[in-house]
Structure formats: structure tokens, C-alpha cells
Amino acid sequence: MTRVTVSAPEAMDLFLDLAKLRLFAPFLAGPITVTDAARLTGVSASALNYWVKRALDWNLLERVGEDRPARYRAVATDFVMNPTAVMPFEDMLERRDRSSWARMLSGYAREYGRVSADWVFRVYLEGGALLHRDLVPAEAMTSPAPPPELPLNEWGVLRLSRAQARVLKERLEETLQAFFEEASDDQQDEKYLFHVAVVRDGGAAS
């Protein structure tokens, strides 16, 4: 397997955004025209052509032969890049996950909008000690109806031993793996976006 180390800082735009990086995938498989690659990736040929030109400038792609329309392929089948050479590690993680977080937030907004057009924060103490800040439909403040079903969006802090944290992580991974294996083959079923994370708490950012 050929491996190439990418040194162009500008190439981070491609490597840190998974949506953009997927545009690069058809060229890893072998020589292909921009039109055919655009059809595979679901974007317009003009949009893909922009990134092809940039990838050529960064020496990530090369033209194959003199056919018209032109065919391009990746210069390697394996690429390595170190974005932290030009930016802090936290910035690299934020840029890597930016499009996924935007997609997640868009999904939340859409699902919440289906429940109500007007939302309020309810802030209160439970048992005189535990602070809550709940986002609820405005009409829930005056209606005894049960709370609506909402997408899962939970944040919390647990005090665990290292062993307990390891078990929690393993069980979450096992649950996800089980659902991957049972995933529906029905194209009419909806897709669900998920994010699962367990990390030692470093405290609130200053």
C-alpha cells in the first residue's frame, strides 16, 4: 500500500471535514471522471470540480492519460497528515467534528419544532439542592398533559472508579454494536444520528 504524508496546511479543509473528505473517496478507488465521481457522491460536478482543482494543487490527485473528459486518481491509497503541526489539538478536534455537530443540532431543532413552536427554560431546585434547567414547550407550563416524546439529548456527570468507567464504555459499545448488527434493511425506515462519549471531566471551561 502506497502511503503519502500530506504537508500542505491548506489541505486541512479537506481532511478535517468528513463531508468534504467523502468527495475524495471515488478517486481513491481508481481513475474516474469528475462527472462520474459527482454522481457517486451526490454533489454537482461544478462543486466537485472546485475540490478536484484544489486537490491537484496540493498534490493529492493526478490526471491519468489524456482522455477527455479527464480522469483523475489519488496519488496514493493511504494518506497521513498532522493538523496539530499548525493548530492546537482542541482546535483540530473542533474543526473535525464541526459538520457533525451542525448536523446533530439541525436534527434536534427539526424534532423540537415538530412538538412545539414555542419553547422556554424552566429553572428550579429539586429537593432544595439539585439545580435543573429544563427546556420545555411553553404550553407545558399551563397544561397537565404528559411531556412530549423528544430526541435523546442527555448530559451528565458521574463519579466512577476507573474500573466502573471502563465497564460503562464497554457496555455502550456493545449496545451500539448490537444495533449495528440488527440495523434495518428497509429503505423506507428513517436514519438516526447518534453521538456517544465518555471522558474524564476536566471541569467547566473558563
Side-chain angles (χ1 to χ4, degrees):
M1 177 179 292
T2 305
R3 176 174 294 161
V4 167
T5 298
V6 180
S7 57
E10 302 88 349
M12 287 185 297
D13 286 341
L14 181 66
F15 279 75
L16 292 179
D17 188 328
L18 188 56
K20 293 175 183 176
L21 188 58
R22 286 184 175 132
L23 304 180
F24 191 62
F27 303 98
L28 284 167
I32 190 171
T33 66
V34 171
T35 299
D36 288 340
R39 185 170 58 252
L40 291 173
T41 55
V43 300
S44 68
S46 60
L48 183 57
N49 192 55
Y50 168 81
W51 287 105
V52 166
K53 289 181 178 178
R54 299 195 70 179
L56 287 168
D57 292 339
W58 300 329
N59 298 316
L60 303 178
L61 293 181
E62 61 185 3
R63 181 169 178 174
V64 179
E66 298 298 326
D67 297 341
R68 291 197 177 276
R71 295 188 302 149
Y72 303 94
R73 70 180 173 195
V75 299
T77 55
D78 188 356
F79 292 85
V80 176
M81 182 179 186
N82 181 15
T84 57
V86 293
M87 67 171 61
F89 189 72
E90 287 188 9
D91 290 351
M92 183 272 285
L93 292 178
E94 190 277 330
R95 287 190 59 180
R96 183 198 66 175
D97 295 339
R98 185 183 297 164
S99 61
S100 295
W101 280 120
R103 185 174 172 185
M104 181 78 75
L105 291 173
S106 176
Y108 282 136
R110 183 173 59 253
E111 295 301 315
Y112 277 64
R114 290 175 179 172
V115 172
S116 175
D118 191 10
W119 291 80
V120 298
F121 279 118
R122 182 189 173 203
V123 179
Y124 61 97
L125 285 177
E126 180 181 357
L130 185 60
L131 179 66
H132 285 265
R133 184 190 62 184
D134 297 339
L135 183 61
V136 297
E139 54 267 27
M141 295 293 91
T142 57
S143 171
E149 182 179 352
L150 295 171
L152 183 63
N153 183 22
E154 296 294 336
W155 291 82
V157 178
L158 293 172
R159 191 175 297 279
L160 302 172
S161 68
R162 291 284 186 90
Q164 288 175 314
R166 190 177 303 112
V167 171
L168 174 60
K169 179 175 176 290
E170 290 173 353
R171 289 183 181 176
L172 290 171
E173 290 173 341
E174 290 170 359
T175 298
L176 287 175
Q177 183 60 38
F179 276 92
F180 269 116
E181 294 172 357
E182 299 171 7
S184 173
D185 293 326
D186 188 344
Q187 296 300 311
Q188 300 302 313
D189 285 340
E190 295 182 277
K191 292 181 179 179
Y192 287 82
L193 185 64
F194 66 89
H195 173 78
V196 179
V198 177
V199 66
R200 279 179 285 177
D201 184 25
S206 57

mmCIF file of all heavy atoms in Angstrom, residues 34-77:
data_model
loop_
_atom_site.group_PDB
_atom_site.id
_atom_site.type_symbol
_atom_site.label_atom_id
_atom_site.label_comp_id
_atom_site.label_asym_id
_atom_site.label_seq_id
_atom_site.Cartn_x
_atom_site.Cartn_y
_atom_site.Cartn_z
ATOM 1 N N VAL A 34 -14.692 13.560 -13.253
ATOM 2 C CA VAL A 34 -15.376 14.384 -12.256
ATOM 3 C C VAL A 34 -16.881 14.134 -12.311
ATOM 4 O O VAL A 34 -17.551 14.052 -11.274
ATOM 5 C CB VAL A 34 -15.052 15.878 -12.481
ATOM 6 C CG1 VAL A 34 -15.927 16.757 -11.580
ATOM 7 C CG2 VAL A 34 -13.583 16.139 -12.220
ATOM 8 N N THR A 35 -17.416 13.988 -13.506
ATOM 9 C CA THR A 35 -18.856 13.757 -13.658
ATOM 10 C C THR A 35 -19.280 12.457 -12.980
ATOM 11 O O THR A 35 -20.279 12.414 -12.255
ATOM 12 C CB THR A 35 -19.239 13.719 -15.144
ATOM 13 O OG1 THR A 35 -18.914 14.969 -15.746
ATOM 14 C CG2 THR A 35 -20.728 13.456 -15.312
ATOM 15 N N ASP A 36 -18.523 11.390 -13.201
ATOM 16 C CA ASP A 36 -18.868 10.105 -12.595
ATOM 17 C C ASP A 36 -18.687 10.147 -11.077
ATOM 18 O O ASP A 36 -19.495 9.592 -10.322
ATOM 19 C CB ASP A 36 -18.015 8.985 -13.188
ATOM 20 C CG ASP A 36 -18.401 8.652 -14.617
ATOM 21 O OD1 ASP A 36 -19.531 9.005 -15.010
ATOM 22 O OD2 ASP A 36 -17.584 8.048 -15.337
ATOM 23 N N ALA A 37 -17.636 10.817 -10.620
ATOM 24 C CA ALA A 37 -17.406 10.930 -9.180
ATOM 25 C C ALA A 37 -18.510 11.760 -8.520
ATOM 26 O O ALA A 37 -18.945 11.464 -7.406
ATOM 27 C CB ALA A 37 -16.048 11.552 -8.910
ATOM 28 N N ALA A 38 -18.970 12.804 -9.222
ATOM 29 C CA ALA A 38 -20.051 13.638 -8.684
ATOM 30 C C ALA A 38 -21.328 12.822 -8.532
ATOM 31 O O ALA A 38 -22.058 12.969 -7.549
ATOM 32 C CB ALA A 38 -20.287 14.835 -9.598
ATOM 33 N N ARG A 39 -21.600 11.952 -9.511
ATOM 34 C CA ARG A 39 -22.788 11.112 -9.422
ATOM 35 C C ARG A 39 -22.700 10.157 -8.225
ATOM 36 O O ARG A 39 -23.697 9.929 -7.530
ATOM 37 C CB ARG A 39 -22.959 10.324 -10.722
ATOM 38 C CG ARG A 39 -24.255 9.499 -10.765
ATOM 39 C CD ARG A 39 -24.532 8.931 -12.147
ATOM 40 N NE ARG A 39 -23.437 8.092 -12.623
ATOM 41 C CZ ARG A 39 -22.595 8.427 -13.593
ATOM 42 N NH1 ARG A 39 -22.704 9.592 -14.196
ATOM 43 N NH2 ARG A 39 -21.640 7.601 -13.974
ATOM 44 N N LEU A 40 -21.527 9.641 -7.944
ATOM 45 C CA LEU A 40 -21.345 8.724 -6.821
ATOM 46 C C LEU A 40 -21.465 9.424 -5.470
ATOM 47 O O LEU A 40 -21.944 8.844 -4.500
ATOM 48 C CB LEU A 40 -19.987 8.031 -6.911
ATOM 49 C CG LEU A 40 -19.793 7.026 -8.050
ATOM 50 C CD1 LEU A 40 -18.344 6.558 -8.102
ATOM 51 C CD2 LEU A 40 -20.735 5.830 -7.857
ATOM 52 N N THR A 41 -21.010 10.670 -5.410
ATOM 53 C CA THR A 41 -21.007 11.388 -4.139
ATOM 54 C C THR A 41 -22.252 12.235 -3.922
ATOM 55 O O THR A 41 -22.471 12.750 -2.820
ATOM 56 C CB THR A 41 -19.768 12.297 -4.050
ATOM 57 O OG1 THR A 41 -19.732 13.172 -5.183
ATOM 58 C CG2 THR A 41 -18.494 11.463 -4.000
ATOM 59 N N GLY A 42 -23.060 12.421 -4.963
ATOM 60 C CA GLY A 42 -24.308 13.156 -4.808
ATOM 61 C C GLY A 42 -24.156 14.659 -4.792
ATOM 62 O O GLY A 42 -25.025 15.363 -4.267
ATOM 63 N N VAL A 43 -23.059 15.178 -5.340
ATOM 64 C CA VAL A 43 -22.894 16.629 -5.436
ATOM 65 C C VAL A 43 -22.846 17.015 -6.907
ATOM 66 O O VAL A 43 -22.750 16.161 -7.787
ATOM 67 C CB VAL A 43 -21.603 17.095 -4.723
ATOM 68 C CG1 VAL A 43 -21.631 16.729 -3.258
ATOM 69 C CG2 VAL A 43 -20.363 16.501 -5.402
ATOM 70 N N SER A 44 -22.907 18.316 -7.169
ATOM 71 C CA SER A 44 -22.842 18.773 -8.552
ATOM 72 C C SER A 44 -21.412 18.656 -9.069
ATOM 73 O O SER A 44 -20.443 18.731 -8.301
ATOM 74 C CB SER A 44 -23.309 20.223 -8.658
ATOM 75 O OG SER A 44 -22.383 21.089 -8.031
ATOM 76 N N ALA A 45 -21.281 18.469 -10.375
ATOM 77 C CA ALA A 45 -19.956 18.356 -10.983
ATOM 78 C C ALA A 45 -19.150 19.635 -10.787
ATOM 79 O O ALA A 45 -17.933 19.589 -10.587
ATOM 80 C CB ALA A 45 -20.098 18.028 -12.463
ATOM 81 N N SER A 46 -19.823 20.783 -10.819
ATOM 82 C CA SER A 46 -19.108 22.051 -10.647
ATOM 83 C C SER A 46 -18.541 22.177 -9.236
ATOM 84 O O SER A 46 -17.414 22.655 -9.044
ATOM 85 C CB SER A 46 -20.029 23.232 -10.952
ATOM 86 O OG SER A 46 -21.158 23.228 -10.086
ATOM 87 N N ALA A 47 -19.325 21.741 -8.227
ATOM 88 C CA ALA A 47 -18.843 21.800 -6.851
ATOM 89 C C ALA A 47 -17.661 20.857 -6.650
ATOM 90 O O ALA A 47 -16.667 21.202 -6.002
ATOM 91 C CB ALA A 47 -19.971 21.451 -5.881
ATOM 92 N N LEU A 48 -17.767 19.657 -7.207
ATOM 93 C CA LEU A 48 -16.681 18.696 -7.067
ATOM 94 C C LEU A 48 -15.443 19.149 -7.835
ATOM 95 O O LEU A 48 -14.314 18.942 -7.375
ATOM 96 C CB LEU A 48 -17.129 17.315 -7.552
ATOM 97 C CG LEU A 48 -16.102 16.189 -7.393
ATOM 98 C CD1 LEU A 48 -15.664 16.056 -5.941
ATOM 99 C CD2 LEU A 48 -16.681 14.875 -7.891
ATOM 100 N N ASN A 49 -15.653 19.760 -8.974
ATOM 101 C CA ASN A 49 -14.522 20.226 -9.781
ATOM 102 C C ASN A 49 -13.668 21.226 -9.010
ATOM 103 O O ASN A 49 -12.433 21.257 -9.159
ATOM 104 C CB ASN A 49 -15.036 20.855 -11.071
ATOM 105 C CG ASN A 49 -13.927 21.082 -12.073
ATOM 106 O OD1 ASN A 49 -13.198 20.165 -12.442
ATOM 107 N ND2 ASN A 49 -13.782 22.329 -12.520
ATOM 108 N N TYR A 50 -14.307 22.044 -8.158
ATOM 109 C CA TYR A 50 -13.566 23.007 -7.333
ATOM 110 C C TYR A 50 -12.578 22.273 -6.432
ATOM 111 O O TYR A 50 -11.405 22.651 -6.330
ATOM 112 C CB TYR A 50 -14.547 23.837 -6.500
ATOM 113 C CG TYR A 50 -13.893 24.646 -5.407
ATOM 114 C CD1 TYR A 50 -13.298 25.868 -5.702
ATOM 115 C CD2 TYR A 50 -13.870 24.189 -4.093
ATOM 116 C CE1 TYR A 50 -12.684 26.616 -4.703
ATOM 117 C CE2 TYR A 50 -13.266 24.923 -3.092
ATOM 118 C CZ TYR A 50 -12.671 26.137 -3.397
ATOM 119 O OH TYR A 50 -12.066 26.876 -2.413
ATOM 120 N N TRP A 51 -13.059 21.198 -5.774
ATOM 121 C CA TRP A 51 -12.191 20.465 -4.845
ATOM 122 C C TRP A 51 -11.166 19.627 -5.584
ATOM 123 O O TRP A 51 -10.057 19.399 -5.096
ATOM 124 C CB TRP A 51 -13.036 19.607 -3.896
ATOM 125 C CG TRP A 51 -13.723 20.453 -2.885
ATOM 126 C CD1 TRP A 51 -15.041 20.791 -2.844
ATOM 127 C CD2 TRP A 51 -13.112 21.113 -1.782
ATOM 128 N NE1 TRP A 51 -15.298 21.627 -1.782
ATOM 129 C CE2 TRP A 51 -14.122 21.839 -1.123
ATOM 130 C CE3 TRP A 51 -11.806 21.175 -1.307
ATOM 131 C CZ2 TRP A 51 -13.861 22.604 0.015
ATOM 132 C CZ3 TRP A 51 -11.534 21.949 -0.173
ATOM 133 C CH2 TRP A 51 -12.562 22.645 0.473
ATOM 134 N N VAL A 52 -11.503 19.161 -6.779
ATOM 135 C CA VAL A 52 -10.522 18.428 -7.581
ATOM 136 C C VAL A 52 -9.349 19.347 -7.928
ATOM 137 O O VAL A 52 -8.176 18.954 -7.823
ATOM 138 C CB VAL A 52 -11.179 17.867 -8.864
ATOM 139 C CG1 VAL A 52 -10.117 17.400 -9.858
ATOM 140 C CG2 VAL A 52 -12.103 16.710 -8.508
ATOM 141 N N LYS A 53 -9.644 20.573 -8.332
ATOM 142 C CA LYS A 53 -8.582 21.520 -8.665
ATOM 143 C C LYS A 53 -7.698 21.802 -7.456
ATOM 144 O O LYS A 53 -6.466 21.883 -7.566
ATOM 145 C CB LYS A 53 -9.185 22.820 -9.197
ATOM 146 C CG LYS A 53 -9.793 22.697 -10.587
ATOM 147 C CD LYS A 53 -10.355 24.030 -11.063
ATOM 148 C CE LYS A 53 -10.918 23.908 -12.477
ATOM 149 N NZ LYS A 53 -11.507 25.184 -12.958
ATOM 150 N N ARG A 54 -8.318 21.940 -6.289
ATOM 151 C CA ARG A 54 -7.525 22.191 -5.083
ATOM 152 C C ARG A 54 -6.687 20.972 -4.728
ATOM 153 O O ARG A 54 -5.525 21.104 -4.319
ATOM 154 C CB ARG A 54 -8.444 22.574 -3.924
ATOM 155 C CG ARG A 54 -9.244 23.837 -4.170
ATOM 156 C CD ARG A 54 -9.864 24.385 -2.912
ATOM 157 N NE ARG A 54 -8.863 24.933 -2.006
ATOM 158 C CZ ARG A 54 -9.146 25.500 -0.837
ATOM 159 N NH1 ARG A 54 -10.406 25.564 -0.425
ATOM 160 N NH2 ARG A 54 -8.206 25.972 -0.063
ATOM 161 N N ALA A 55 -7.273 19.775 -4.860
ATOM 162 C CA ALA A 55 -6.530 18.550 -4.551
ATOM 163 C C ALA A 55 -5.354 18.365 -5.492
ATOM 164 O O ALA A 55 -4.304 17.845 -5.104
ATOM 165 C CB ALA A 55 -7.460 17.346 -4.615
ATOM 166 N N LEU A 56 -5.499 18.802 -6.745
ATOM 167 C CA LEU A 56 -4.381 18.764 -7.697
ATOM 168 C C LEU A 56 -3.282 19.725 -7.251
ATOM 169 O O LEU A 56 -2.086 19.386 -7.312
ATOM 170 C CB LEU A 56 -4.873 19.140 -9.094
ATOM 171 C CG LEU A 56 -5.725 18.091 -9.820
ATOM 172 C CD1 LEU A 56 -6.391 18.709 -11.045
ATOM 173 C CD2 LEU A 56 -4.882 16.882 -10.226
ATOM 174 N N ASP A 57 -3.663 20.909 -6.794
ATOM 175 C CA ASP A 57 -2.677 21.877 -6.302
ATOM 176 C C ASP A 57 -1.923 21.346 -5.094
ATOM 177 O O ASP A 57 -0.741 21.658 -4.895
ATOM 178 C CB ASP A 57 -3.365 23.200 -5.928
ATOM 179 C CG ASP A 57 -3.912 23.946 -7.135
ATOM 180 O OD1 ASP A 57 -3.439 23.674 -8.257
ATOM 181 O OD2 ASP A 57 -4.827 24.777 -6.950
ATOM 182 N N TRP A 58 -2.620 20.556 -4.244
ATOM 183 C CA TRP A 58 -1.997 20.004 -3.034
ATOM 184 C C TRP A 58 -1.269 18.685 -3.302
ATOM 185 O O TRP A 58 -0.790 18.051 -2.374
ATOM 186 C CB TRP A 58 -3.066 19.775 -1.965
ATOM 187 C CG TRP A 58 -3.797 21.009 -1.563
ATOM 188 C CD1 TRP A 58 -3.327 22.288 -1.539
ATOM 189 C CD2 TRP A 58 -5.154 21.080 -1.112
ATOM 190 N NE1 TRP A 58 -4.297 23.155 -1.112
ATOM 191 C CE2 TRP A 58 -5.434 22.437 -0.830
ATOM 192 C CE3 TRP A 58 -6.159 20.140 -0.907
ATOM 193 C CZ2 TRP A 58 -6.674 22.868 -0.366
ATOM 194 C CZ3 TRP A 58 -7.393 20.573 -0.436
ATOM 195 C CH2 TRP A 58 -7.642 21.925 -0.176
ATOM 196 N N ASN A 59 -1.234 18.265 -4.590
ATOM 197 C CA ASN A 59 -0.582 17.002 -4.971
ATOM 198 C C ASN A 59 -1.229 15.782 -4.325
ATOM 199 O O ASN A 59 -0.551 14.803 -4.001
ATOM 200 C CB ASN A 59 0.915 17.048 -4.637
ATOM 201 C CG ASN A 59 1.654 18.122 -5.401
ATOM 202 O OD1 ASN A 59 1.439 18.287 -6.608
ATOM 203 N ND2 ASN A 59 2.509 18.862 -4.716
ATOM 204 N N LEU A 60 -2.547 15.853 -4.174
ATOM 205 C CA LEU A 60 -3.299 14.697 -3.665
ATOM 206 C C LEU A 60 -3.882 13.875 -4.817
ATOM 207 O O LEU A 60 -4.099 12.671 -4.676
ATOM 208 C CB LEU A 60 -4.441 15.161 -2.754
ATOM 209 C CG LEU A 60 -4.052 16.015 -1.541
ATOM 210 C CD1 LEU A 60 -5.294 16.421 -0.769
ATOM 211 C CD2 LEU A 60 -3.069 15.271 -0.650
ATOM 212 N N LEU A 61 -4.166 14.539 -5.939
ATOM 213 C CA LEU A 61 -4.704 13.878 -7.123
ATOM 214 C C LEU A 61 -3.753 14.073 -8.300
ATOM 215 O O LEU A 61 -2.952 15.016 -8.314
ATOM 216 C CB LEU A 61 -6.076 14.447 -7.496
ATOM 217 C CG LEU A 61 -7.256 14.208 -6.561
ATOM 218 C CD1 LEU A 61 -8.512 14.841 -7.152
ATOM 219 C CD2 LEU A 61 -7.471 12.737 -6.284
ATOM 220 N N GLU A 62 -3.882 13.202 -9.281
ATOM 221 C CA GLU A 62 -3.128 13.334 -10.514
ATOM 222 C C GLU A 62 -4.025 12.954 -11.687
ATOM 223 O O GLU A 62 -4.934 12.131 -11.539
ATOM 224 C CB GLU A 62 -1.895 12.433 -10.498
ATOM 225 C CG GLU A 62 -2.211 10.960 -10.383
ATOM 226 C CD GLU A 62 -0.966 10.101 -10.240
ATOM 227 O OE1 GLU A 62 0.139 10.665 -10.177
ATOM 228 O OE2 GLU A 62 -1.112 8.853 -10.163
ATOM 229 N N ARG A 63 -3.769 13.563 -12.832
ATOM 230 C CA ARG A 63 -4.527 13.208 -14.029
ATOM 231 C C ARG A 63 -3.947 11.926 -14.621
ATOM 232 O O ARG A 63 -2.724 11.728 -14.638
ATOM 233 C CB ARG A 63 -4.475 14.338 -15.051
ATOM 234 C CG ARG A 63 -5.274 14.034 -16.309
ATOM 235 C CD ARG A 63 -5.435 15.238 -17.191
ATOM 236 N NE ARG A 63 -6.178 14.882 -18.412
ATOM 237 C CZ ARG A 63 -6.568 15.743 -19.321
ATOM 238 N NH1 ARG A 63 -6.291 17.036 -19.160
ATOM 239 N NH2 ARG A 63 -7.242 15.346 -20.390
ATOM 240 N N VAL A 64 -4.827 11.079 -15.127
ATOM 241 C CA VAL A 64 -4.419 9.814 -15.737
ATOM 242 C C VAL A 64 -4.705 9.879 -17.233
ATOM 243 O O VAL A 64 -5.864 9.995 -17.644
ATOM 244 C CB VAL A 64 -5.165 8.625 -15.101
ATOM 245 C CG1 VAL A 64 -4.743 7.323 -15.766
ATOM 246 C CG2 VAL A 64 -4.901 8.574 -13.604
ATOM 247 N N GLY A 65 -3.655 9.794 -18.057
ATOM 248 C CA GLY A 65 -3.836 9.810 -19.507
ATOM 249 C C GLY A 65 -4.269 11.163 -20.035
ATOM 250 O O GLY A 65 -4.306 12.163 -19.323
ATOM 251 N N GLU A 66 -4.630 11.160 -21.307
ATOM 252 C CA GLU A 66 -5.044 12.392 -21.977
ATOM 253 C C GLU A 66 -6.485 12.312 -22.466
ATOM 254 O O GLU A 66 -6.905 13.084 -23.331
ATOM 255 C CB GLU A 66 -4.115 12.672 -23.169
ATOM 256 C CG GLU A 66 -2.656 12.895 -22.780
ATOM 257 C CD GLU A 66 -2.483 14.120 -21.883
ATOM 258 O OE1 GLU A 66 -3.240 15.103 -22.074
ATOM 259 O OE2 GLU A 66 -1.608 14.091 -21.008
ATOM 260 N N ASP A 67 -7.247 11.349 -21.935
ATOM 261 C CA ASP A 67 -8.639 11.197 -22.347
ATOM 262 C C ASP A 67 -9.447 12.444 -22.019
ATOM 263 O O ASP A 67 -9.134 13.200 -21.103
ATOM 264 C CB ASP A 67 -9.278 9.996 -21.645
ATOM 265 C CG ASP A 67 -8.608 8.688 -22.028
ATOM 266 O OD1 ASP A 67 -7.934 8.668 -23.071
ATOM 267 O OD2 ASP A 67 -8.767 7.704 -21.270
ATOM 268 N N ARG A 68 -10.506 12.634 -22.787
ATOM 269 C CA ARG A 68 -11.475 13.691 -22.477
ATOM 270 C C ARG A 68 -12.868 13.079 -22.462
ATOM 271 O O ARG A 68 -13.215 12.358 -23.405
ATOM 272 C CB ARG A 68 -11.391 14.816 -23.518
ATOM 273 C CG ARG A 68 -10.093 15.596 -23.402
ATOM 274 C CD ARG A 68 -10.196 16.924 -24.136
ATOM 275 N NE ARG A 68 -8.997 17.692 -23.970
ATOM 276 C CZ ARG A 68 -8.746 18.481 -22.918
ATOM 277 N NH1 ARG A 68 -9.634 18.592 -21.943
ATOM 278 N NH2 ARG A 68 -7.626 19.159 -22.845
ATOM 279 N N PRO A 69 -13.627 13.306 -21.406
ATOM 280 C CA PRO A 69 -13.246 14.136 -20.253
ATOM 281 C C PRO A 69 -12.103 13.514 -19.446
ATOM 282 O O PRO A 69 -11.901 12.300 -19.468
ATOM 283 C CB PRO A 69 -14.534 14.207 -19.425
ATOM 284 C CG PRO A 69 -15.275 12.977 -19.795
ATOM 285 C CD PRO A 69 -14.981 12.722 -21.246
ATOM 286 N N ALA A 70 -11.380 14.373 -18.739
ATOM 287 C CA ALA A 70 -10.198 13.941 -17.991
ATOM 288 C C ALA A 70 -10.581 12.995 -16.859
ATOM 289 O O ALA A 70 -11.651 13.112 -16.261
ATOM 290 C CB ALA A 70 -9.471 15.161 -17.433
ATOM 291 N N ARG A 71 -9.677 12.066 -16.588
ATOM 292 C CA ARG A 71 -9.853 11.152 -15.459
ATOM 293 C C ARG A 71 -8.751 11.430 -14.435
ATOM 294 O O ARG A 71 -7.602 11.702 -14.797
ATOM 295 C CB ARG A 71 -9.795 9.697 -15.915
ATOM 296 C CG ARG A 71 -10.929 9.293 -16.849
ATOM 297 C CD ARG A 71 -10.911 7.793 -17.112
ATOM 298 N NE ARG A 71 -9.629 7.385 -17.678
ATOM 299 C CZ ARG A 71 -9.083 6.190 -17.473
ATOM 300 N NH1 ARG A 71 -9.691 5.305 -16.711
ATOM 301 N NH2 ARG A 71 -7.921 5.882 -18.034
ATOM 302 N N TYR A 72 -9.127 11.340 -13.157
ATOM 303 C CA TYR A 72 -8.194 11.628 -12.069
ATOM 304 C C TYR A 72 -8.198 10.472 -11.069
ATOM 305 O O TYR A 72 -9.180 9.733 -10.940
ATOM 306 C CB TYR A 72 -8.584 12.923 -11.343
ATOM 307 C CG TYR A 72 -8.664 14.121 -12.247
ATOM 308 C CD1 TYR A 72 -9.886 14.501 -12.804
ATOM 309 C CD2 TYR A 72 -7.533 14.874 -12.544
ATOM 310 C CE1 TYR A 72 -9.967 15.600 -13.643
ATOM 311 C CE2 TYR A 72 -7.608 15.973 -13.389
ATOM 312 C CZ TYR A 72 -8.827 16.332 -13.932
ATOM 313 O OH TYR A 72 -8.915 17.420 -14.753
ATOM 314 N N ARG A 73 -7.079 10.353 -10.355
ATOM 315 C CA ARG A 73 -6.996 9.359 -9.284
ATOM 316 C C ARG A 73 -6.131 9.937 -8.167
ATOM 317 O O ARG A 73 -5.329 10.867 -8.387
ATOM 318 C CB ARG A 73 -6.386 8.061 -9.791
ATOM 319 C CG ARG A 73 -4.908 8.149 -10.130
ATOM 320 C CD ARG A 73 -4.381 6.828 -10.635
ATOM 321 N NE ARG A 73 -2.997 6.977 -11.107
ATOM 322 C CZ ARG A 73 -2.382 6.079 -11.865
ATOM 323 N NH1 ARG A 73 -3.021 4.979 -12.251
ATOM 324 N NH2 ARG A 73 -1.123 6.276 -12.247
ATOM 325 N N ALA A 74 -6.280 9.375 -6.970
ATOM 326 C CA ALA A 74 -5.450 9.780 -5.841
ATOM 327 C C ALA A 74 -4.017 9.323 -6.095
ATOM 328 O O ALA A 74 -3.785 8.277 -6.701
ATOM 329 C CB ALA A 74 -5.986 9.163 -4.553
ATOM 330 N N VAL A 75 -3.058 10.102 -5.618
ATOM 331 C CA VAL A 75 -1.655 9.762 -5.830
ATOM 332 C C VAL A 75 -1.201 8.624 -4.928
ATOM 333 O O VAL A 75 -0.093 8.105 -5.083
ATOM 334 C CB VAL A 75 -0.745 10.988 -5.609
ATOM 335 C CG1 VAL A 75 -1.098 12.103 -6.587
ATOM 336 C CG2 VAL A 75 -0.839 11.478 -4.164
ATOM 337 N N ALA A 76 -2.061 8.237 -3.974
ATOM 338 C CA ALA A 76 -1.735 7.142 -3.060
ATOM 339 C C ALA A 76 -3.026 6.492 -2.601
ATOM 340 O O ALA A 76 -4.124 6.992 -2.868
ATOM 341 C CB ALA A 76 -0.938 7.654 -1.861
ATOM 342 N N THR A 77 -2.894 5.366 -1.930
ATOM 343 C CA THR A 77 -4.059 4.694 -1.349
ATOM 344 C C THR A 77 -4.123 4.887 0.156
ATOM 345 O O THR A 77 -5.026 4.383 0.809
ATOM 346 C CB THR A 77 -4.020 3.196 -1.673
ATOM 347 O OG1 THR A 77 -2.771 2.650 -1.226
ATOM 348 C CG2 THR A 77 -4.166 2.965 -3.172
#
